[in-house]
């Protein structure tokens, strides 16, 4: 497809071409072409008018075709030359020299300089010759510097080669090549133009006259260099254009008189420029150009494009030969330079990877990879990265929003490549074309490289690249002037071609290279090792914690058990003292009373502690427990409290059965009910005992996570209530929110024991309360 956008997708039939059946001539038919791919650029039927061309029969070197300007340049009109021996133009001696040259030199599809002719109108003519498809082509070029009077190219090129060979990177090679060619030719701008995988081009190196604005980094649509032109550059190294738009000379006759075939001019230095390309260059302000190819084996990697902006520019044979040599050296050096680049980038990324992981190891885990000094964006060439870890997204750079990331993750988890055991990675450069997503997402996340970090769940790392259109500088209007349509409409203006280009690259990112994918997979392994080692650390911490809990229980047991004995002694001794006559002093008697009260209080504290330690130590005896029965038993055990005031107790019908330790669970209810009666100042105490089956109630924000998945039991009272800021305090050992003897007194161990018992059942206890209105204590026993 070309800038004109009228491709007929390869089904161009002869009859539909404007030159219908006749040999093509760019001069006659060029402007009627609307489709670049149909333009016969290798058989244009014309040459650039500053030179002349002869087509000779190989056997007798008689003239079969000649350019129509032969009269002016060679002194013989075409009709005077056709069918005549070449000696008519060259003279006998030179004709003999040509014959000898053809017999001895490798001229097949390889134009070589033979001699310089004085020239008919004063200007010297360089003569080059090559053979192709059974004919001999002789080109005559009028140049200021002929091959015999120009500079010493051999010494020049020797230095150039040395400079190219010492280039340490691909960039340095490109910079050196552009600088050398500009110095050698004296052209205004020399660029290295690289083809991307989708065929579009980017200027990656440039040498220019200082007053020109830089085109470095600009991108150009693939259509700007259509396929027929690329094909020529796979076959030749060089394409000179002395003066864009200068008059052309047509061949006489247009087709070979013996074979009827058009002349293939692929290797001719004088080949006339394609009509469409001429127009395109003119629209860019280019007046003369030289293009060289950079090849990787048989592939066309890119071009070296040289522009001149002020009229005709002579490119004599020797200059061209030197440039051709440079293009060949660049092509050879290119692979080595690219390998060096790849290696050094890989080493760079490897270093970043190590640093990132050690950063994560020492500074708060994986999330440090998005908010630390180094981020995931340093590990790969991307504009955004996201990590799903610990049930949330961590993002850096340009990424979709969390809900959009969720969508991408859900979609990805289903993809087979994601669960591959050898290469679990997903890569695309056009996400929007694979999954339904908003234009915004497909613009900033067109490129996605995703790695799973665990087999189950969605622990993931994403890297994003935006669509190319957003990240590239477009070279559509390099002269900063309004679009000027060509003589054939807007088909060839850079901006016109950009619009077509932008459609084709929308939603498309720069593709991920294989080496980047390999790098990401290696990164994944290191991150997973880190995750595993952190999990191991956690298990160890848990073990240590369990061990210290056990130690605490053992300590509580020993302390409370062993302290009870001496306490009993003190108590007994104090009693004896009250009876003794030695306490005549009433103050002393009071002190001894106090001592007795303290021993009693300490005894109940020790009793609670002992009980608590037993609760932690004794194994649970799990059985099927009828909660209906159990609650009524518990109510029976708090009758003393019930008797204190009028009270109404409502128990929901048909409480379910649960698997639990009956005695321990009853203790839980006894404690909760006892508190519900105790902390109640209303004249009519009202207590309700009920339950919610799983999922029957909505979780409130402060409730523990996931509690609604199991049955929830509750004890609700209309008592004094608890300020929610004490929500954690009430479970602390010996913590009371009131004075020691208020509300019937207590040790402050009840709820601590309740919590321990419930936790041993794998459950949770929590409450809602409003001071002055009442409290509701909830119990969920968790998975049994
Ligand atoms: P104790 O009842 O022995 O003081 P608990 O551990 O059972 O110890 O309770 C701790 C504290 O929580 C109590 O001192 C009380 O302030 C508060 N509390 C417990 N249950 C209720 C309730 N149903 N209503 C109001 N306050 C309560």
């Amino acid at each position: 497809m070309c800038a004109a956008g009228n491709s007929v997708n390869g089904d161009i039939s002869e009859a539909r071409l404007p030159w219908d059946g006749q040999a093509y001539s760019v001069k006659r038919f060029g402007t009627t072409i609307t489709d670049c791919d149909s333009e016969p650029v290798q058989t244009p039927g014309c040459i650039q008018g500053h030179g002349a061309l002869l087509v000779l029969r190989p056997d007798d070197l008689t003239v079969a075709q000649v350019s129509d300007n032969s009269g002016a340049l060679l002194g013989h009109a075409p009709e005077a030359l056709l069918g005549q021996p070449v000696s008519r133009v060259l003279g006998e001696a030179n004709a003999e020299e040509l014959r000898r040259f053809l017999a001895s030199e490798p001229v097949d599809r390889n134009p070589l300089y033979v001699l310089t002719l004085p020239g008919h109108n004063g200007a010297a003519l360089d003569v080059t010759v090559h053979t192709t498809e059974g004919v001999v082509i002789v080109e005559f070029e009028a140049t200021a510097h002929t091959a015999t009077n120009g500079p010493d190219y051999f010494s020049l090129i020797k230095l150039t080669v040395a400079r190219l060979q010492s280039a340490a990177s691909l960039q340095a090679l490109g910079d050196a090549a552009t600088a050398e060619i500009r110095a050698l030719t004296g052209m205004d701008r020399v660029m290295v133009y690289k083809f991307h995988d989708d065929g579009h081009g980017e200027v990656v190196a440039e040498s220019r006259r200082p007053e020109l604005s830089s085109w470095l980094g600009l991108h150009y649509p693939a259509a700007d260099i259509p396929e027929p032109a690329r094909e020529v550059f796979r076959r030749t190294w060089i394409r000179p254009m002395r003066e864009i738009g200068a008059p052309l000379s047509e061949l006489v006759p247009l087709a070979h008189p013996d074979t009827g075939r058009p002349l293939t001019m692929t290797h001719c230095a004088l080949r006339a420029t394609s009509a469409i390309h001429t127009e395109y260059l003119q629209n860019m302000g280019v007046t003369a150009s030289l293009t060289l190819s950079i090849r990787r084996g048989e592939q066309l990697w890119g071009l070296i494009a040289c522009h001149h902006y002020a009229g005709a520019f002579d490119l004599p044979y020797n200059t061209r030969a030197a440039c051709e040599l440079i293009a060949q050296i660049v092509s050879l050096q290119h692979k080595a330079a690219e390998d060096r680049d790849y290696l050094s980038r890989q080493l760079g990324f490897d270093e970043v990877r190590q640093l990132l992981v050690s950063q994560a190891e020492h500074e708060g885990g994986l999330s440090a990879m998005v908010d630390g000094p180094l981020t995931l964006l340093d590990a790969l060439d991307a504009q955004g990265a996201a990590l799903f870890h610990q049930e949330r997204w961590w993002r850096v750079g340009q990424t979709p929003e969390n809900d959009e990331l969720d969508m991408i993750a859900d979609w990805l988890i289903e993809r087979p490549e994601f669960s591959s055991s050898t290469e679990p990675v997903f890569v695309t450069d056009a996400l929007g074309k694979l999954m339904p997503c908003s234009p915004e997402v497909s613009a900033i996340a067109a490129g996605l490289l995703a790695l799973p970090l665990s087999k189950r769940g969605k622990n993931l790392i994403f890297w994003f690249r935006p669509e190319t259109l957003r990240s590239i500088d477009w070279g559509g209007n390099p002269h900063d002037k309004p679009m000027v349509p060509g003589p054939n409409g807007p088909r060839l203006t850079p901006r016109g071609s950009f619009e077509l280009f932008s459609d084709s690259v929308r939603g498309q990112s720069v593709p991920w290279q294989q080496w980047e994918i390999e790098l990401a997979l290696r990164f994944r392994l290191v991150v997973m090792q880190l995750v595993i080692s952190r999990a191991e650390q956690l298990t160890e911490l848990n073990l240590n914690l369990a061990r210290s809990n056990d130690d605490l229980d053992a300590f509580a047991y020993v302390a409370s058990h062993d302290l009870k004995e001496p306490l009993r002694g003190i108590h007994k001794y104090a009693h004896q003292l009250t009876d003794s006559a030695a306490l005549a002093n009433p103050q002393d008697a009071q002190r001894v009373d106090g001592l007795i009260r303290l021993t009693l209080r300490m005894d109940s504290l020790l009793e609670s502690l002992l009980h608590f330690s037993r609760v932690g130590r004794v194994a649970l005896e799990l059985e099927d427990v009828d909660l209906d029965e159990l609650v009524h038993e518990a109510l029976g055990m708090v009758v003393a409290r019930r008797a204190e005031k009028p009270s109404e107790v409502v128990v929901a019908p048909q409480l379910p059965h649960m698997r639990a330790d009956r005695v321990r669970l009853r203790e839980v209810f006894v404690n909760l009910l006892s508190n519900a009666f105790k902390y109640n100042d209303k004249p009519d105490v009202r207590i309700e005992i009920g339950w919610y089956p799983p999922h029957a109630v909505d979780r409130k924000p402060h409730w523990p996570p996931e509690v609604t998945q199991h049955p929830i039991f509750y004890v609700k009272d209309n008592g004094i209530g608890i300020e929610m800021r004490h929500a954690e305090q009430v479970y602390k050992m010996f913590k009371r929110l009131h004075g020691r003897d208020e509300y019937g007194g207590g040790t402050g161990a009840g709820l601590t024991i309740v919590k321990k018992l419930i936790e041993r059942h794998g459950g949770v206890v929590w409450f809602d309360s409003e001071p002055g209105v009442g409290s509701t204590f909830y119990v969920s026993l968790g998975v049994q």
Side-chain angles (χ1 to χ4, degrees):
M1 178 108 160
C2 74
N6 287 334
S7 169
V8 280
N9 296 327
D11 60 348
I12 309 152
S13 69
E14 286 291 318
R16 284 158 66 189
L17 296 171
W19 50 97
D20 191 13
Q22 312 166 51
Y24 176 72
S25 156
V26 61
K27 194 170 166 182
R28 275 190 241 171
F29 307 115
T31 53
T32 59
I33 289 178
T34 53
D35 180 346
C36 307
D37 289 346
S38 70
E39 186 174 6
V41 293
Q42 296 185 64
T43 55
C46 298
I47 58 166
Q48 301 174 44
H50 67 282
L53 182 144
L54 296 179
V55 178
L56 308 179
R57 295 180 178 87
D59 307 334
D60 55 5
L61 300 190
T62 54
V63 178
Q65 287 170 280
V66 57
S67 56
D68 64 10
N69 59 353
S70 61
L73 278 157
L74 305 176
H76 303 277
E79 49 280 11
L81 288 178
L82 288 172
Q84 300 301 311
V86 71
S87 53
R88 173 76 47 103
V89 176
L90 297 182
E92 281 305 333
N94 284 338
E96 194 41 47
E97 169 66 10
L98 178 69
R99 193 165 287 114
R100 194 197 53 75
F101 196 89
L102 281 169
S104 58
E105 301 296 333
V107 289
D108 188 40
R109 284 165 293 169
N110 182 33
L112 292 176
Y113 166 81
V114 192
L115 49 94
T116 301
L117 278 185
H120 168 69
N121 55 7
L125 294 172
D126 273 349
V127 179
T128 55
V129 68
H130 74 282
T131 59
T132 188
E133 296 175 3
V135 295
V136 176
I137 300 174
V138 185
E139 294 178 82
F140 300 82
E141 282 180 81
T143 62
H145 294 293
T146 64
T148 46
N149 68 3
D152 177 4
Y153 281 99
F154 179 71
S155 329
L156 285 177
I157 201 78
K158 242 178 101 173
L159 285 172
T160 298
V161 170
R163 284 187 206 111
L164 291 177
Q165 274 172 340
S166 65
S169 66
L170 199 54
Q171 188 60 49
L173 182 68
D175 292 343
T178 52
E180 292 297 320
I181 291 177
R182 197 161 84 83
L184 203 70
T185 59
M187 293 187 84
D188 291 338
R189 184 196 301 274
V190 180
M191 299 170 281
V192 171
Y193 188 88
K194 170 192 169 166
F195 292 131
H196 285 266
D197 287 351
D198 63 357
H200 93 267
E202 180 185 353
V203 178
V204 294
E206 179 189 50
S207 170
R208 65 191 148 85
R209 278 217 327 267
E211 66 271 25
L212 295 174
S213 63
S214 172
W215 292 2
L216 195 64
L218 297 184
H219 292 241
Y220 293 84
D224 284 10
I225 301 173
E227 185 45 38
R230 288 177 201 233
E231 182 52 32
V232 172
F233 283 112
R234 280 182 208 109
R235 293 165 187 240
T236 64
W237 287 100
I238 189 154
R239 171 70 181 131
M241 286 180 231
R242 183 179 175 274
E243 187 177 8
I244 313 285
L248 301 178
S249 289
E250 204 173 78
L251 291 183
V252 183
L254 260 180
H256 196 286
D258 306 343
T259 60
R261 281 165 49 183
L263 181 69
T264 298
M265 295 196 202
T266 314
H267 303 280
C268 294
L270 288 173
R271 176 164 59 93
T273 321
S274 118
I276 288 184
H277 193 50
T278 302
E279 206 174 319
Y280 182 74
L281 289 174
Q282 279 175 333
N283 286 335
M284 290 172 96
V286 179
T287 57
S289 81
L290 171 73
T291 315
L292 303 153
S293 58
I294 303 178
R295 294 188 217 159
R296 167 73 69 77
E298 296 299 296
Q299 305 277 314
L300 187 63
W301 180 90
L303 297 173
I304 300 176
C306 316
H307 286 173
H308 185 68
Y309 300 111
F313 195 86
D314 263 330
L315 287 160
Y317 176 82
N318 277 348
T319 314
R320 296 202 307 264
C323 289
E324 194 172 332
L325 190 64
I326 294 177
Q328 288 170 354
I329 291 168
V330 169
S331 295
L332 285 174
Q333 289 281 301
H334 189 260
K335 171 89 177 80
E338 201 172 63
D339 285 351
R340 270 201 299 276
D341 265 16
Y342 164 63
L343 205 71
S344 76
R345 281 169 79 183
Q346 201 182 18
L347 285 176
F349 278 131
D350 268 348
E351 196 179 325
V352 169
R353 196 180 65 188
Q354 295 299 346
L355 287 171
L356 257 180
V357 169
S358 80
Q359 179 179 299
E361 233 168 357
H362 300 111
E363 292 167 32
L366 292 194
S367 54
M369 292 188 184
V370 296
D371 50 20
L374 274 177
T375 71
L376 288 173
L377 293 185
D378 299 295
L380 268 189
D381 188 5
Q383 269 72 47
L387 168 76
F388 191 84
H389 173 59
Q390 290 175 337
E391 300 303 314
R392 56 158 288 195
W393 288 105
W394 305 81
R395 308 185 313 191
V396 57
Q398 258 185 31
T399 71
E401 295 300 320
N402 288 358
D403 52 336
E404 294 159 338
L405 289 174
D406 282 339
M407 264 173 50
I408 299 174
D410 290 343
W411 175 81
L412 259 182
I413 285 167
E414 301 299 316
R415 310 274 308 185
E417 51 271 61
F418 222 51
S419 45
S420 147
S421 50
T422 46
E423 288 214 332
V425 60
F426 176 83
V427 187
T428 177
D429 54 13
L431 183 65
K433 290 181 187 148
L434 297 178
M435 68 168 281
C437 52
S438 66
E440 292 76 35
V441 171
S442 63
I444 54 171
L448 167 66
L449 191 155
L451 294 174
L453 291 181
S454 56
K455 265 218 168 313
R456 288 179 302 119
K458 58 173 184 185
N459 287 330
L460 306 156
I461 298 185
F462 287 164
W463 279 277
F464 295 110
R465 278 181 180 163
E467 64 178 4
T468 325
L469 205 56
R470 294 199 167 194
S471 62
I472 63 176
D473 283 320
W474 163 242
N477 197 358
H479 292 288
D480 262 357
K481 61 181 184 188
M483 181 181 87
V484 187
N488 303 300
R491 64 177 191 175
L492 295 166
T493 58
R495 190 173 285 169
S497 64
F498 173 62
E499 275 153 20
L500 291 166
F501 174 54
S502 62
D503 282 347
S504 72
V505 297
R506 187 140 280 140
Q508 192 94 30
S509 78
V510 172
W512 303 94
Q513 304 296 320
Q514 187 54 36
W515 68 269
E516 292 178 304
I517 299 170
E518 283 161 18
L519 204 95
L521 278 166
R522 283 211 298 279
F523 183 66
R524 173 181 180 268
L525 282 185
V526 189
V527 172
M528 284 181 70
Q529 272 164 14
L530 176 71
V531 172
I532 291 168
S533 85
R534 283 190 80 82
E536 279 168 356
Q537 279 169 15
L538 263 177
T539 321
E540 202 165 311
L541 270 177
N542 272 343
L543 272 176
N544 287 341
L545 214 64
R547 227 171 278 143
S548 56
N549 268 343
D550 287 351
D551 290 351
L552 210 65
D553 283 352
F555 169 76
Y557 178 78
V558 171
S560 45
H561 187 265
D562 294 1
L563 287 177
K564 272 182 91 90
E565 198 45 44
L567 190 66
R568 222 171 282 142
I570 296 170
H571 185 75
K572 209 167 126 198
Y573 190 56
H575 260 293
Q576 283 170 0
L577 270 180
T578 16
D579 299 343
S580 99
L583 280 180
N585 183 342
Q587 247 187 355
D588 285 346
Q590 241 178 17
R591 283 189 189 123
V592 174
D593 274 350
L595 184 66
I596 290 172
R597 266 204 318 277
L598 280 176
T599 55
L600 286 174
R601 168 116 187 114
M602 192 159 170
D603 186 57
S604 57
L605 290 177
L606 285 178
E607 192 54 46
S608 303
L609 197 60
L610 200 56
H611 185 55
F612 176 74
S613 78
R614 260 189 224 120
V615 162
R617 293 152 64 88
V618 178
L620 293 186
E621 287 176 25
L622 295 179
E623 58 181 308
D624 181 70
V625 178
D626 179 345
L627 264 282
D628 247 340
E629 233 175 77
L630 186 118
V631 166
H632 284 100
E633 280 173 29
L635 278 168
M637 293 170 81
V638 293
V639 273
R641 296 242 179 244
R642 285 180 76 173
E644 286 168 12
K645 265 195 246 176
S647 63
E648 183 194 0
V649 178
V650 181
V651 184
Q654 291 180 346
L655 292 176
H657 285 233
M658 292 296 290
R659 214 173 139 64
D661 182 316
R662 153 181 281 279
V663 177
R664 307 285 170 209
L665 191 58
R666 188 175 62 206
E667 192 179 342
V668 167
F669 278 96
V670 168
N671 263 308
L672 294 179
L673 286 166
S674 160
N675 281 351
F677 282 111
K678 211 161 75 163
Y679 300 104
N680 205 314
D681 53 359
K682 307 283 163 20
D684 292 310
V685 174
R686 192 176 188 284
I687 292 172
E688 189 187 322
I689 301 145
W691 75 295
Y692 300 112
H695 306 294
V697 62
D698 287 337
R699 254 191 83 240
K700 296 196 185 105
H702 64 279
W703 282 18
E706 297 179 3
V707 286
T708 57
Q709 292 178 12
H710 310 292
I712 298 173
F713 301 94
Y714 62 85
V715 175
K716 180 176 183 176
D717 63 53
N718 61 341
I720 59 169
I722 309 169
E723 284 183 52
M724 288 309 286
R725 64 191 168 96
H726 298 307
E728 293 302 321
Q729 307 239 29
V730 293
Y731 301 109
K732 288 202 175 134
M733 191 65 168
F734 303 140
K735 177 72 190 174
R736 300 202 75 217
L737 300 179
H738 313 282
R740 187 201 298 163
D741 300 319
E742 281 179 272
Y743 297 103
T747 58
L751 287 180
T752 320
I753 290 170
V754 164
K755 187 163 188 269
K756 182 94 178 177
L757 283 173
I758 296 295
E759 282 174 357
R760 292 215 53 201
H761 278 83
V764 223
V765 56
W766 73 101
F767 67 87
D768 286 335
S769 185
E770 197 180 327
V773 178
S775 316
T776 309
F777 276 83
Y778 300 93
V779 164
S780 153
L781 288 186
V783 193
Q784 299 290 301

